[in-house]
Amino acid sequence: MLPFAQFVVQPDRTIFLQQVRTSNLLTFTTNAPENTSRHESRRAIPITDPEAHVTYYLCARNDASPHVRDIFALVGGEA
């Protein structure tokens, strides 16, 4: 728990990455295979607490583009 924490939510990915590069703020990431962006000045520290988890749901239209189908295949879903 982080009882006195304040979180900054940045929905714009470009601005978020700029903030990561230029600040000393803590950031959180997933262990998703797509997350290959590593910053030299930062270290990934795994969170192993069994209560620290999240479930993501991925959905798309049946006529999704090949790129979307590739994402489904990457995470082990049906394409």
Side-chain angles (χ1 to χ4, degrees):
M1 303 271 303
L2 302 170
F4 301 106
Q6 294 183 339
F7 292 91
V8 176
V9 177
Q10 177 49 260
D12 185 308
R13 182 79 176 151
T14 302
I15 294 173
F16 171 75
L17 291 173
Q18 183 179 15
Q19 288 175 327
V20 168
R21 284 191 305 272
T22 61
S23 77
N24 62 355
L25 295 173
L26 294 175
T27 58
F28 295 90
T29 186
T30 69
N31 61 350
E34 284 273 320
N35 185 17
T36 57
S37 173
R38 298 281 185 228
H39 300 278
E40 276 186 28
S41 63
R42 300 205 175 239
R43 298 291 177 257
I45 300 171
I47 299 172
T48 57
D49 187 323
E51 293 180 8
H53 68 278
V54 64
T55 301
Y56 292 97
Y57 296 94
L58 184 62
C59 62
R61 295 170 36 147
N62 287 334
D63 60 349
S65 71
H67 178 71
V68 172
R69 293 179 178 275
D70 289 345
I71 293 171
F72 270 84
L74 177 70
V75 297
E78 294 181 24

